[in-house]
Amino acid sequence: MRKYGLLGYPLGHSFSKTYFNQKFEAEKIDAQYINFEIPNIKDIKNVIKENPELNGLNVTIPYKEQVIPYLDELDDDARQIGAVNVIKFTKGLFGKLKLKGYNSDIIGFKQSIEPLLNETHRKALVLGTGGASKAVMHGLKQLGVGATLVSRKHKEACLTYEEITPQIMEQYTIIVNTTPLGMFPNIDACPDIPYDLLTPNHLLYDLLYNPDETLFMKKGKEKGATVKNGLEMLLLQAFAAWEIWQK
């Protein structure tokens, strides 16, 4: 039996485990998917050692960047983004195990947001500076959209929330939330942007998918903006992960 799994901490509300095990059952694939909730990235060595039948791993918070030194190779997107959420296991010469890192977040994000873009969507604000924001920035760049990160603290090449002026809100008609603000159970939270300056020209994309409609999305909808949550991105990145493991 082939084995796949998810590396992260904590993993209480993992989508991947349920999704892949249901897929394996429905398609009669002789495989299982396990959560590897490890408190330290160094524990990846034990996971690999104790599970010789592993064919692939997904990687989630907080290890998308920390896992890179443990890999033998990165594909182009993962290297440019600097974050990995899919690892493919292959056997090389003399049965030596080789781990290659990929980023399927960028695939899911691009395929999900592209149909919503129109000629007014030329610039984007990306809220948050974690691993997911890197994939989003890279994806927007590939779609021809100029993007700027927004951080709570002063950082190089980032705006702070206080620096979002009416002029910026007018120019930057795509706003992507990559922060956990508004995720269940804290559904009354949202990123601190000037929602009163939103218009029907704006597109608000939230990587969160629980709840279905976050406060960030609700506030956008009230101003006539187009809104979308991250569920489709999540599904598309899972499809892409499976394709990576199979090729």
Side-chain angles (χ1 to χ4, degrees):
M1 182 186 279
R2 285 177 289 165
K3 200 184 272 188
Y4 300 89
L6 177 65
L7 211 62
Y9 190 86
L11 296 177
H13 302 287
S14 159
F15 154 87
S16 302
K17 185 179 176 183
T18 306
Y19 168 79
F20 279 109
N21 283 325
Q22 284 178 353
K23 176 185 173 69
F24 297 154
E25 193 177 343
E27 298 177 25
K28 299 191 167 36
I29 297 167
D30 189 23
Q32 69 172 148
Y33 193 101
I34 297 163
N35 279 352
F36 296 105
E37 196 172 50
I38 57 172
N40 191 303
I41 190 58
K42 291 176 185 172
D43 297 329
I44 188 175
K45 291 179 177 177
N46 294 334
V47 168
I48 293 165
K49 190 176 171 185
E50 291 163 16
N51 298 275
E53 60 278 56
L54 265 174
N55 278 247
L57 286 170
N58 287 123
V59 184
T60 190
I61 295 167
Y63 301 132
K64 289 184 182 187
E65 294 155 293
Q66 293 179 39
V67 77
I68 291 174
Y70 295 88
L71 308 178
D72 300 295
E73 195 183 343
L74 296 177
D75 97 315
D76 287 344
D77 278 340
R79 189 174 61 253
Q80 288 176 44
I81 293 165
V84 162
N85 74 317
V86 181
I87 303 171
K88 183 178 181 179
F89 289 53
T90 53
K91 292 275 170 63
L93 235 63
F94 310 112
K96 187 181 183 319
L97 188 63
K98 185 180 166 190
L99 307 184
K100 184 171 180 178
Y102 297 81
N103 193 302
S104 69
D105 282 337
I106 185 176
I107 300 167
F109 174 70
K110 275 173 62 182
Q111 289 178 353
S112 174
I113 198 170
E114 193 169 17
L116 304 176
L117 300 179
N118 62 41
E119 66 283 349
T120 68
H121 298 133
R122 287 282 153 259
K123 287 185 172 183
L125 294 177
V126 178
L127 312 180
T129 56
S133 72
K134 291 184 171 186
V136 165
M137 289 287 284
H138 200 64
L140 288 167
K141 186 179 168 187
Q142 289 183 0
L143 291 167
V145 175
T148 300
L149 288 168
V150 181
S151 171
R152 283 174 302 169
K153 297 172 185 168
H154 284 280
K155 286 183 183 177
E156 197 180 337
C158 287
L159 286 171
T160 62
Y161 287 90
E162 294 78 33
E163 290 168 335
I164 301 175
T165 62
Q167 189 183 8
I168 285 170
M169 287 296 285
E170 194 180 336
Q171 289 177 8
Y172 288 76
T173 51
I174 304 170
I175 304 176
V176 184
N177 178 36
T178 73
T179 79
L181 286 168
M183 184 165 66
F184 182 85
N186 303 311
I187 59 170
D188 294 327
C190 63
D192 186 16
I193 62 167
Y195 292 95
D196 56 317
L197 298 175
L198 291 172
T199 69
N201 286 335
H202 282 86
L203 165 60
L204 269 62
Y205 189 107
D206 202 329
L207 262 60
L208 302 177
Y209 53 90
N210 183 11
D212 288 339
E213 188 175 81
T214 59
L215 187 55
F216 170 74
M217 291 166 65
K218 271 182 196 155
K219 285 174 173 273
K221 207 189 248 185
E222 283 166 9
K223 293 291 182 179
T226 301
V227 300
K228 183 158 188 169
N229 71 17
L231 185 59
E232 186 185 40
M233 174 182 166
L234 190 73
L235 289 165
L236 290 168
Q237 69 79 22
F239 298 160
W242 181 246
E243 283 178 12
I244 288 164
W245 291 331
Q246 298 315 298
K247 67 182 180 185

